[in-house]
Amino acid sequence: MLNIKNLHAKITDGREILKGINLDVKPGEVHAIMGPNGSGKSTLASVLAGRPGYEVTEGSVTFDGKDLLPLAADERAREGIFLAFQYPVEIPGVNNMYFLRAALNAVRRHRGQPDLDAGQFLKAVRAKLKELEINDDLLQRGVNVGFSGGEKKRNEIFQMAMLEPKLGLLDETDSGLDIDALRLVSNGINKLRSPSRAMVLITHYQRLLDYIEPDHIHVLSGGKIVMSGDKTLAAELEKRGYAMLDETAA
Amino acid sequence: MTAKPETAPYRAAFTAHPADALADQRKSAFARFETLGFPTRREEAWRFTNLRPLQQAYLPGTATASKPDIAAYAFDGESYRLVFVNGRFAPDLSHTGALPKGVRLDNTAKLLPGHQDLAQSLLDDTDTAGGQGFAALNAALFADGYVLVLEDGVTLDHPVEIVHWGDAPDQSFHLRNLIKLGTGSRATILETYIGEGRYWTNAVTLVDVAAAASLRHVKLQDEATTAIHFGQVRGTLDRAARYDGFVLTLGSELSRHDSFIRYAGENAECGLFGAYLLRGAQEATNMTVVDHATPHCTTHEVFKGVVDERAHGVFLGKITVREDAQKTNANQLNKNLLLSARATVDTKPELEIFADDVKCSHGATVGDLDEDAMFYLEARGISPDEARRMLIEAFAADAIDRLEGEPALRAHLAAHVQRWLNVARVPS
Ligand SMILES: Nc1ncnc2c1ncn2[C@@H]1O[C@H](COP(=O)(O)OP(=O)(O)OP(=O)(O)O)[C@@H](O)[C@H]1O
Ligand SMILES: [Mg+2]
């Protein structure tokens, strides 16, 4: 589904952050990406989602066999890529419900589905809100405005549940969640797992992977994937820290 | 005193103006206009204003045949509506229905003969001895306008809707309005200025809000983009009075809205809000001058500007807190979004404080659309065009939403912001 080959990318100041990423994600799979702070995990997610400010200098990315790189961010989203932000943005004055309905209808139109009317939309919203235990009144505010850290993360997963993407890129969705919220969000993500949908989870913690069992774990360091393994890799990293990368390399 | 040359074309118009109850004051006012002439950029209040469009003379004329097209602007709710066409009251387009007891709503021209007292309050010293030439010209030449007088304790149940349509080529319309609210009374006014072609609207509105009375004064200025629009409001607020002014500026090639508010009693409150959305070569100025002469009064100002293409937005805010005006609470905020590299904004929020126990703040920003917000919206599948619109709408709504207790009016204004956004932009 997602095929990344020798991806190099730099930021506008010219510094190269991604230095040859290779990753193959198949439908139905869950991949976890771990790695030290500043290693390039969010940059990879940003480049995949089409965030401005990054330049791909080498390599290729295909999504469902299509070249992803020429597409603008909104086109990628409509094609089925969803980025759950490490730091969701607050947008005062843009009502959550209004925003979500605009997003959902944009995605639906692209899929050849009719717009949802207000009633249908509300019904879909209600059901998902309940699953993620999100308070109704949050939706009446501006996008993410006045949300707590945990509420913002839950809102990201709520949006993913509404938009039903093919590929979810979840950047530290577990950070800042309390124990109950982590379980809630993990359940939400697990519910979205399906044979046709893939997920890439960026995380620092094994705990998330106890709830959401990944098929593969990769370690990103210095802009490259330096180690890959199955779900047992997380436990090993937890025990030994990223120092084990040097030991293994040595 | 010699007359300034730019005033010469207006002398014939003044001479031809029929004498009325105010003939003496009008004469003084015209003399004042001749002395002052047009303001120049050496005056602080006019430093950023380009008066080039006024190089041609716009003379008041007799009404010409006109096809007012006001349907798209009609307030979608009950109202007492007065329509003016090319500066003159148009009774056949107006409907005031049955006004509640204690309310007088009329056009100025109708009141001029036979109502000495009211006629006298249409002018004051500012017109005959003040420092603003266009106001003096208005005093000398005005032919019509509206007068709203509420007796003590009267609450007007629906908004008064004033629609002004202009399309007489190269003419000027000098409108003189008077709003007088008796003690404890309440009213809401929506003024709409629209039209086609080249003309000059020059309106002066005198506002007198008595103790504990409350006025919401909303203006939608969407004149033709080849027109000139000057609006001046001079208001006095008595004890515990409240004035909420809102101006949505969408139209005109050159426009100004100048509000002068003076507190004449304690515990009064004033909100001055506005949004201006400009494109092409439009220039719009919002000026506020608030005089805190009495203690315990509160002023809130929020003006939001969206400036695209080669347009120019100006905010001039001045709040003076006099020595006796302790416990004044005043804040001023002007935020601008520049949508193109050639768009410009001048902003000058100013506080002049002579009292020591006051809470005052002011601020101004000029910036671009928030890139992070744009990306967040796009990352959910929303197109850049729509994302932009959503952010601009939200930006303007921040000012519109300050109009408390008027959901229908807020929706009306928001709809006109949307209409502005629906016009395709010229890529810069
Ligand atoms: N837009 C940007 N402008 C400047 N520097 C950037 C930008 N994006 C990323 N970087 C830099 O690139 C490097 C990688 O950052 P990135 O956010 O991808 O790391 P990360 O692996 O997600 O780290 P963390 O675990 O702390 O979230 C850092 O040094 C960061 O400062
Ligand atoms: Mg990161």
Side-chain angles (χ1 to χ4, degrees), chain B residues 72-113:
Chain B
Y73 288 85
F75 179 60
D76 193 19
E78 283 195 66
S79 71
Y80 303 104
R81 182 187 297 163
L82 298 190
V83 178
F84 294 81
V85 175
N86 292 326
R88 300 286 183 154
F89 181 52
D92 45 326
L93 298 173
S94 306
H95 62 85
T96 54
L99 286 159
K101 225 172 106 21
V103 179
R104 166 183 293 254
L105 174 62
D106 267 311
N107 63 306
T108 311
K110 184 178 160 202
L111 276 185
L112 266 178

mmCIF file of all heavy atoms in Angstrom, chain B residues 72-113:
data_model
loop_
_atom_site.group_PDB
_atom_site.id
_atom_site.type_symbol
_atom_site.label_atom_id
_atom_site.label_comp_id
_atom_site.label_asym_id
_atom_site.label_seq_id
_atom_site.Cartn_x
_atom_site.Cartn_y
_atom_site.Cartn_z
ATOM 1 N N ALA B 72 -30.803 41.955 -2.428
ATOM 2 C CA ALA B 72 -29.758 41.095 -1.860
ATOM 3 C C ALA B 72 -29.277 41.606 -0.506
ATOM 4 O O ALA B 72 -28.571 40.914 0.204
ATOM 5 C CB ALA B 72 -28.573 41.002 -2.819
ATOM 6 N N TYR B 73 -29.678 42.829 -0.166
ATOM 7 C CA TYR B 73 -29.174 43.428 1.068
ATOM 8 C C TYR B 73 -30.232 43.565 2.147
ATOM 9 O O TYR B 73 -29.944 43.981 3.253
ATOM 10 C CB TYR B 73 -28.567 44.801 0.764
ATOM 11 C CG TYR B 73 -27.266 44.687 0.020
ATOM 12 C CD1 TYR B 73 -27.251 44.556 -1.373
ATOM 13 C CD2 TYR B 73 -26.068 44.655 0.701
ATOM 14 C CE1 TYR B 73 -26.066 44.419 -2.059
ATOM 15 C CE2 TYR B 73 -24.870 44.518 0.029
ATOM 16 C CZ TYR B 73 -24.879 44.404 -1.347
ATOM 17 O OH TYR B 73 -23.696 44.265 -2.018
ATOM 18 N N ALA B 74 -31.468 43.239 1.786
ATOM 19 C CA ALA B 74 -32.554 43.413 2.746
ATOM 20 C C ALA B 74 -32.325 42.515 3.953
ATOM 21 O O ALA B 74 -31.907 41.376 3.830
ATOM 22 C CB ALA B 74 -33.885 43.083 2.087
ATOM 23 N N PHE B 75 -32.593 43.072 5.116
ATOM 24 C CA PHE B 75 -32.458 42.305 6.347
ATOM 25 C C PHE B 75 -33.552 41.251 6.380
ATOM 26 O O PHE B 75 -34.718 41.519 6.132
ATOM 27 C CB PHE B 75 -32.569 43.241 7.553
ATOM 28 C CG PHE B 75 -32.468 42.522 8.862
ATOM 29 C CD1 PHE B 75 -31.335 41.787 9.184
ATOM 30 C CD2 PHE B 75 -33.502 42.589 9.780
ATOM 31 C CE1 PHE B 75 -31.232 41.127 10.401
ATOM 32 C CE2 PHE B 75 -33.412 41.936 11.002
ATOM 33 C CZ PHE B 75 -32.281 41.204 11.312
ATOM 34 N N ASP B 76 -33.125 40.036 6.690
ATOM 35 C CA ASP B 76 -34.014 38.899 6.627
ATOM 36 C C ASP B 76 -34.753 38.737 7.957
ATOM 37 O O ASP B 76 -34.588 37.776 8.664
ATOM 38 C CB ASP B 76 -33.151 37.658 6.337
ATOM 39 C CG ASP B 76 -33.993 36.469 5.945
ATOM 40 O OD1 ASP B 76 -35.152 36.675 5.552
ATOM 41 O OD2 ASP B 76 -33.496 35.338 6.057
ATOM 42 N N GLY B 77 -35.541 39.709 8.272
ATOM 43 C CA GLY B 77 -36.281 39.669 9.538
ATOM 44 C C GLY B 77 -37.143 40.907 9.556
ATOM 45 O O GLY B 77 -37.069 41.728 8.651
ATOM 46 N N GLU B 78 -37.947 41.048 10.576
ATOM 47 C CA GLU B 78 -38.797 42.238 10.625
ATOM 48 C C GLU B 78 -37.950 43.466 10.889
ATOM 49 O O GLU B 78 -36.951 43.410 11.601
ATOM 50 C CB GLU B 78 -39.843 42.075 11.716
ATOM 51 C CG GLU B 78 -40.973 41.151 11.281
ATOM 52 C CD GLU B 78 -42.172 41.274 12.194
ATOM 53 O OE1 GLU B 78 -42.790 42.362 12.207
ATOM 54 O OE2 GLU B 78 -42.469 40.289 12.895
ATOM 55 N N SER B 79 -38.339 44.570 10.272
ATOM 56 C CA SER B 79 -37.603 45.815 10.501
ATOM 57 C C SER B 79 -38.499 46.995 10.159
ATOM 58 O O SER B 79 -39.525 46.841 9.498
ATOM 59 C CB SER B 79 -36.350 45.860 9.632
ATOM 60 O OG SER B 79 -36.698 46.042 8.272
ATOM 61 N N TYR B 80 -38.109 48.167 10.618
ATOM 62 C CA TYR B 80 -38.736 49.414 10.186
ATOM 63 C C TYR B 80 -37.788 50.004 9.165
ATOM 64 O O TYR B 80 -36.694 50.436 9.504
ATOM 65 C CB TYR B 80 -38.912 50.360 11.370
ATOM 66 C CG TYR B 80 -39.714 49.744 12.496
ATOM 67 C CD1 TYR B 80 -39.087 49.292 13.654
ATOM 68 C CD2 TYR B 80 -41.092 49.601 12.380
ATOM 69 C CE1 TYR B 80 -39.823 48.716 14.690
ATOM 70 C CE2 TYR B 80 -41.834 49.021 13.400
ATOM 71 C CZ TYR B 80 -41.193 48.582 14.549
ATOM 72 O OH TYR B 80 -41.928 48.015 15.563
ATOM 73 N N ARG B 81 -38.201 49.966 7.900
ATOM 74 C CA ARG B 81 -37.223 50.276 6.849
ATOM 75 C C ARG B 81 -37.443 51.620 6.165
ATOM 76 O O ARG B 81 -38.533 51.922 5.683
ATOM 77 C CB ARG B 81 -37.261 49.171 5.796
ATOM 78 C CG ARG B 81 -36.229 49.404 4.671
ATOM 79 C CD ARG B 81 -36.376 48.412 3.543
ATOM 80 N NE ARG B 81 -36.132 47.056 4.013
ATOM 81 C CZ ARG B 81 -36.495 45.973 3.336
ATOM 82 N NH1 ARG B 81 -37.126 46.069 2.191
ATOM 83 N NH2 ARG B 81 -36.245 44.780 3.826
ATOM 84 N N LEU B 82 -36.386 52.407 6.124
ATOM 85 C CA LEU B 82 -36.384 53.634 5.332
ATOM 86 C C LEU B 82 -35.364 53.459 4.225
ATOM 87 O O LEU B 82 -34.219 53.110 4.498
ATOM 88 C CB LEU B 82 -35.973 54.849 6.163
ATOM 89 C CG LEU B 82 -36.814 55.280 7.360
ATOM 90 C CD1 LEU B 82 -36.329 56.643 7.860
ATOM 91 C CD2 LEU B 82 -38.298 55.363 7.008
ATOM 92 N N VAL B 83 -35.791 53.704 2.984
ATOM 93 C CA VAL B 83 -34.863 53.583 1.862
ATOM 94 C C VAL B 83 -34.593 54.973 1.288
ATOM 95 O O VAL B 83 -35.511 55.792 1.145
ATOM 96 C CB VAL B 83 -35.443 52.660 0.770
ATOM 97 C CG1 VAL B 83 -34.483 52.568 -0.424
ATOM 98 C CG2 VAL B 83 -35.707 51.260 1.342
ATOM 99 N N PHE B 84 -33.348 55.220 1.001
ATOM 100 C CA PHE B 84 -32.946 56.479 0.373
ATOM 101 C C PHE B 84 -32.311 56.166 -0.970
ATOM 102 O O PHE B 84 -31.528 55.223 -1.081
ATOM 103 C CB PHE B 84 -31.935 57.231 1.249
ATOM 104 C CG PHE B 84 -32.531 57.703 2.541
ATOM 105 C CD1 PHE B 84 -32.673 56.827 3.619
ATOM 106 C CD2 PHE B 84 -32.977 59.009 2.679
ATOM 107 C CE1 PHE B 84 -33.243 57.255 4.811
ATOM 108 C CE2 PHE B 84 -33.548 59.445 3.871
ATOM 109 C CZ PHE B 84 -33.685 58.565 4.937
ATOM 110 N N VAL B 85 -32.678 56.927 -1.971
ATOM 111 C CA VAL B 85 -32.088 56.752 -3.292
ATOM 112 C C VAL B 85 -31.393 58.039 -3.679
ATOM 113 O O VAL B 85 -32.007 59.111 -3.672
ATOM 114 C CB VAL B 85 -33.166 56.361 -4.326
ATOM 115 C CG1 VAL B 85 -32.559 56.297 -5.724
ATOM 116 C CG2 VAL B 85 -33.796 55.017 -3.957
ATOM 117 N N ASN B 86 -30.136 57.956 -3.973
ATOM 118 C CA ASN B 86 -29.334 59.126 -4.310
ATOM 119 C C ASN B 86 -29.538 60.280 -3.330
ATOM 120 O O ASN B 86 -29.729 61.427 -3.713
ATOM 121 C CB ASN B 86 -29.625 59.563 -5.754
ATOM 122 C CG ASN B 86 -29.108 58.533 -6.749
ATOM 123 O OD1 ASN B 86 -28.073 57.903 -6.508
ATOM 124 N ND2 ASN B 86 -29.819 58.337 -7.849
ATOM 125 N N GLY B 87 -29.528 59.923 -2.079
ATOM 126 C CA GLY B 87 -29.560 60.935 -1.032
ATOM 127 C C GLY B 87 -30.933 61.423 -0.644
ATOM 128 O O GLY B 87 -31.044 62.290 0.217
ATOM 129 N N ARG B 88 -31.976 60.901 -1.301
ATOM 130 C CA ARG B 88 -33.337 61.355 -1.001
ATOM 131 C C ARG B 88 -34.192 60.186 -0.546
ATOM 132 O O ARG B 88 -34.110 59.088 -1.099
ATOM 133 C CB ARG B 88 -33.993 61.952 -2.259
ATOM 134 C CG ARG B 88 -33.253 63.130 -2.836
ATOM 135 C CD ARG B 88 -33.458 64.340 -1.975
ATOM 136 N NE ARG B 88 -32.800 65.496 -2.566
ATOM 137 C CZ ARG B 88 -33.176 66.747 -2.345
ATOM 138 N NH1 ARG B 88 -34.226 66.992 -1.584
ATOM 139 N NH2 ARG B 88 -32.512 67.741 -2.885
ATOM 140 N N PHE B 89 -35.058 60.489 0.410
ATOM 141 C CA PHE B 89 -35.981 59.492 0.925
ATOM 142 C C PHE B 89 -36.877 58.960 -0.196
ATOM 143 O O PHE B 89 -37.387 59.739 -1.003
ATOM 144 C CB PHE B 89 -36.831 60.134 2.025
ATOM 145 C CG PHE B 89 -37.820 59.195 2.653
ATOM 146 C CD1 PHE B 89 -37.420 57.969 3.155
ATOM 147 C CD2 PHE B 89 -39.156 59.556 2.747
ATOM 148 C CE1 PHE B 89 -38.336 57.101 3.744
ATOM 149 C CE2 PHE B 89 -40.090 58.701 3.341
ATOM 150 C CZ PHE B 89 -39.669 57.471 3.838
ATOM 151 N N ALA B 90 -37.032 57.637 -0.247
ATOM 152 C CA ALA B 90 -37.887 57.015 -1.261
ATOM 153 C C ALA B 90 -39.037 56.308 -0.552
ATOM 154 O O ALA B 90 -38.928 55.145 -0.177
ATOM 155 C CB ALA B 90 -37.068 56.010 -2.081
ATOM 156 N N PRO B 91 -40.158 57.041 -0.365
ATOM 157 C CA PRO B 91 -41.260 56.481 0.445
ATOM 158 C C PRO B 91 -41.827 55.187 -0.131
ATOM 159 O O PRO B 91 -42.205 54.285 0.620
ATOM 160 C CB PRO B 91 -42.310 57.595 0.454
ATOM 161 C CG PRO B 91 -41.844 58.644 -0.496
ATOM 162 C CD PRO B 91 -40.419 58.398 -0.835
ATOM 163 N N ASP B 92 -41.850 55.084 -1.466
ATOM 164 C CA ASP B 92 -42.474 53.899 -2.059
ATOM 165 C C ASP B 92 -41.649 52.633 -1.814
ATOM 166 O O ASP B 92 -42.157 51.521 -1.900
ATOM 167 C CB ASP B 92 -42.700 54.117 -3.565
ATOM 168 C CG ASP B 92 -41.491 54.733 -4.241
ATOM 169 O OD1 ASP B 92 -40.797 55.545 -3.581
ATOM 170 O OD2 ASP B 92 -41.223 54.390 -5.406
ATOM 171 N N LEU B 93 -40.361 52.775 -1.511
ATOM 172 C CA LEU B 93 -39.537 51.601 -1.228
ATOM 173 C C LEU B 93 -39.428 51.332 0.272
ATOM 174 O O LEU B 93 -38.853 50.344 0.701
ATOM 175 C CB LEU B 93 -38.120 51.800 -1.794
ATOM 176 C CG LEU B 93 -38.012 51.974 -3.311
ATOM 177 C CD1 LEU B 93 -36.590 52.344 -3.702
ATOM 178 C CD2 LEU B 93 -38.442 50.692 -4.004
ATOM 179 N N SER B 94 -39.973 52.242 1.060
ATOM 180 C CA SER B 94 -39.817 52.146 2.514
ATOM 181 C C SER B 94 -41.056 51.532 3.133
ATOM 182 O O SER B 94 -42.138 51.608 2.574
ATOM 183 C CB SER B 94 -39.586 53.535 3.100
ATOM 184 O OG SER B 94 -38.497 54.155 2.446
ATOM 185 N N HIS B 95 -40.919 50.912 4.270
ATOM 186 C CA HIS B 95 -42.098 50.553 5.044
ATOM 187 C C HIS B 95 -41.748 50.579 6.515
ATOM 188 O O HIS B 95 -40.866 49.871 6.969
ATOM 189 C CB HIS B 95 -42.661 49.192 4.628
ATOM 190 C CG HIS B 95 -41.718 48.056 4.851
ATOM 191 N ND1 HIS B 95 -41.618 47.415 6.056
ATOM 192 C CD2 HIS B 95 -40.826 47.473 4.031
ATOM 193 C CE1 HIS B 95 -40.703 46.476 5.953
ATOM 194 N NE2 HIS B 95 -40.194 46.492 4.753
ATOM 195 N N THR B 96 -42.394 51.467 7.220
ATOM 196 C CA THR B 96 -42.122 51.547 8.646
ATOM 197 C C THR B 96 -43.249 50.912 9.441
ATOM 198 O O THR B 96 -43.103 50.702 10.639
ATOM 199 C CB THR B 96 -41.961 53.012 9.102
ATOM 200 O OG1 THR B 96 -43.105 53.732 8.691
ATOM 201 C CG2 THR B 96 -40.724 53.632 8.501
ATOM 202 N N GLY B 97 -44.331 50.545 8.774
ATOM 203 C CA GLY B 97 -45.448 49.922 9.481
ATOM 204 C C GLY B 97 -45.910 50.807 10.631
ATOM 205 O O GLY B 97 -45.713 52.015 10.628
ATOM 206 N N ALA B 98 -46.479 50.154 11.636
ATOM 207 C CA ALA B 98 -46.948 50.905 12.799
ATOM 208 C C ALA B 98 -45.821 50.952 13.820
ATOM 209 O O ALA B 98 -45.421 49.935 14.349
ATOM 210 C CB ALA B 98 -48.177 50.230 13.393
ATOM 211 N N LEU B 99 -45.322 52.152 14.060
ATOM 212 C CA LEU B 99 -44.252 52.298 15.043
ATOM 213 C C LEU B 99 -44.828 52.263 16.445
ATOM 214 O O LEU B 99 -45.935 52.757 16.673
ATOM 215 C CB LEU B 99 -43.532 53.625 14.822
ATOM 216 C CG LEU B 99 -42.618 53.670 13.611
ATOM 217 C CD1 LEU B 99 -42.374 55.108 13.186
ATOM 218 C CD2 LEU B 99 -41.308 52.964 13.913
ATOM 219 N N PRO B 100 -44.090 51.685 17.376
ATOM 220 C CA PRO B 100 -44.582 51.697 18.759
ATOM 221 C C PRO B 100 -44.719 53.131 19.259
ATOM 222 O O PRO B 100 -44.115 54.056 18.707
ATOM 223 C CB PRO B 100 -43.468 50.980 19.537
ATOM 224 C CG PRO B 100 -42.619 50.285 18.534
ATOM 225 C CD PRO B 100 -42.804 51.001 17.239
ATOM 226 N N LYS B 101 -45.527 53.292 20.288
ATOM 227 C CA LYS B 101 -45.722 54.606 20.889
ATOM 228 C C LYS B 101 -44.393 55.123 21.438
ATOM 229 O O LYS B 101 -43.581 54.368 21.946
ATOM 230 C CB LYS B 101 -46.738 54.481 22.045
ATOM 231 C CG LYS B 101 -47.786 55.575 22.045
ATOM 232 C CD LYS B 101 -48.851 55.259 23.079
ATOM 233 C CE LYS B 101 -48.861 56.048 24.337
ATOM 234 N NZ LYS B 101 -48.369 57.238 24.683
ATOM 235 N N GLY B 102 -44.180 56.406 21.291
ATOM 236 C CA GLY B 102 -42.958 57.003 21.842
ATOM 237 C C GLY B 102 -41.767 56.915 20.906
ATOM 238 O O GLY B 102 -40.647 57.168 21.309
ATOM 239 N N VAL B 103 -42.042 56.516 19.646
ATOM 240 C CA VAL B 103 -40.952 56.418 18.680
ATOM 241 C C VAL B 103 -41.217 57.363 17.519
ATOM 242 O O VAL B 103 -42.306 57.364 16.947
ATOM 243 C CB VAL B 103 -40.833 54.983 18.112
ATOM 244 C CG1 VAL B 103 -39.706 54.921 17.079
ATOM 245 C CG2 VAL B 103 -40.610 53.978 19.224
ATOM 246 N N ARG B 104 -40.237 58.158 17.193
ATOM 247 C CA ARG B 104 -40.344 58.970 15.991
ATOM 248 C C ARG B 104 -39.273 58.514 15.029
ATOM 249 O O ARG B 104 -38.080 58.482 15.370
ATOM 250 C CB ARG B 104 -40.136 60.439 16.344
ATOM 251 C CG ARG B 104 -39.901 61.325 15.123
ATOM 252 C CD ARG B 104 -39.624 62.741 15.576
ATOM 253 N NE ARG B 104 -40.854 63.287 16.175
ATOM 254 C CZ ARG B 104 -41.618 64.180 15.578
ATOM 255 N NH1 ARG B 104 -41.298 64.646 14.398
ATOM 256 N NH2 ARG B 104 -42.707 64.625 16.135
ATOM 257 N N LEU B 105 -39.701 58.106 13.853
ATOM 258 C CA LEU B 105 -38.748 57.710 12.823
ATOM 259 C C LEU B 105 -39.166 58.395 11.538
ATOM 260 O O LEU B 105 -40.246 58.137 11.014
ATOM 261 C CB LEU B 105 -38.747 56.187 12.636
ATOM 262 C CG LEU B 105 -37.885 55.649 11.487
ATOM 263 C CD1 LEU B 105 -36.413 55.967 11.698
ATOM 264 C CD2 LEU B 105 -38.069 54.133 11.344
ATOM 265 N N ASP B 106 -38.355 59.302 11.065
ATOM 266 C CA ASP B 106 -38.718 60.072 9.885
ATOM 267 C C ASP B 106 -37.479 60.392 9.078
ATOM 268 O O ASP B 106 -36.364 60.223 9.562
ATOM 269 C CB ASP B 106 -39.390 61.389 10.305
ATOM 270 C CG ASP B 106 -40.900 61.243 10.350
ATOM 271 O OD1 ASP B 106 -41.450 60.728 9.345
ATOM 272 O OD2 ASP B 106 -41.496 61.622 11.370
ATOM 273 N N ASN B 107 -37.707 60.889 7.885
ATOM 274 C CA ASN B 107 -36.555 61.381 7.142
ATOM 275 C C ASN B 107 -36.334 62.840 7.501
ATOM 276 O O ASN B 107 -37.280 63.573 7.834
ATOM 277 C CB ASN B 107 -36.733 61.167 5.635
ATOM 278 C CG ASN B 107 -37.888 61.916 5.062
ATOM 279 O OD1 ASN B 107 -39.005 61.777 5.546
ATOM 280 N ND2 ASN B 107 -37.634 62.720 4.037
ATOM 281 N N THR B 108 -35.089 63.247 7.465
ATOM 282 C CA THR B 108 -34.700 64.574 7.930
ATOM 283 C C THR B 108 -35.431 65.683 7.187
ATOM 284 O O THR B 108 -35.894 66.657 7.786
ATOM 285 C CB THR B 108 -33.179 64.760 7.744
ATOM 286 O OG1 THR B 108 -32.532 63.616 8.298
ATOM 287 C CG2 THR B 108 -32.673 65.983 8.450
ATOM 288 N N ALA B 109 -35.547 65.525 5.874
ATOM 289 C CA ALA B 109 -36.153 66.582 5.058
ATOM 290 C C ALA B 109 -37.580 66.866 5.508
ATOM 291 O O ALA B 109 -38.032 68.008 5.517
ATOM 292 C CB ALA B 109 -36.131 66.188 3.581
ATOM 293 N N LYS B 110 -38.270 65.800 5.908
ATOM 294 C CA LYS B 110 -39.653 65.977 6.314
ATOM 295 C C LYS B 110 -39.742 66.749 7.630
ATOM 296 O O LYS B 110 -40.689 67.498 7.865
ATOM 297 C CB LYS B 110 -40.304 64.596 6.475
ATOM 298 C CG LYS B 110 -41.772 64.667 6.806
ATOM 299 C CD LYS B 110 -42.389 63.290 6.920
ATOM 300 C CE LYS B 110 -43.681 63.366 7.720
ATOM 301 N NZ LYS B 110 -44.040 62.076 8.290
ATOM 302 N N LEU B 111 -38.722 66.555 8.485
ATOM 303 C CA LEU B 111 -38.757 67.184 9.794
ATOM 304 C C LEU B 111 -38.287 68.629 9.779
ATOM 305 O O LEU B 111 -38.605 69.393 10.676
ATOM 306 C CB LEU B 111 -37.882 66.401 10.761
ATOM 307 C CG LEU B 111 -38.556 65.201 11.393
ATOM 308 C CD1 LEU B 111 -37.645 64.572 12.412
ATOM 309 C CD2 LEU B 111 -39.873 65.616 12.048
ATOM 310 N N LEU B 112 -37.496 68.969 8.776
ATOM 311 C CA LEU B 112 -36.859 70.293 8.785
ATOM 312 C C LEU B 112 -37.840 71.447 8.935
ATOM 313 O O LEU B 112 -37.651 72.309 9.790
ATOM 314 C CB LEU B 112 -35.990 70.477 7.541
ATOM 315 C CG LEU B 112 -34.508 70.119 7.729
ATOM 316 C CD1 LEU B 112 -33.738 70.282 6.428
ATOM 317 C CD2 LEU B 112 -33.885 70.970 8.827
ATOM 318 N N PRO B 113 -38.883 71.493 8.109
ATOM 319 C CA PRO B 113 -39.815 72.601 8.316
ATOM 320 C C PRO B 113 -40.712 72.284 9.506
ATOM 321 O O PRO B 113 -41.188 71.159 9.637
ATOM 322 C CB PRO B 113 -40.633 72.626 7.018
ATOM 323 C CG PRO B 113 -40.352 71.342 6.310
ATOM 324 C CD PRO B 113 -39.287 70.608 7.013
#
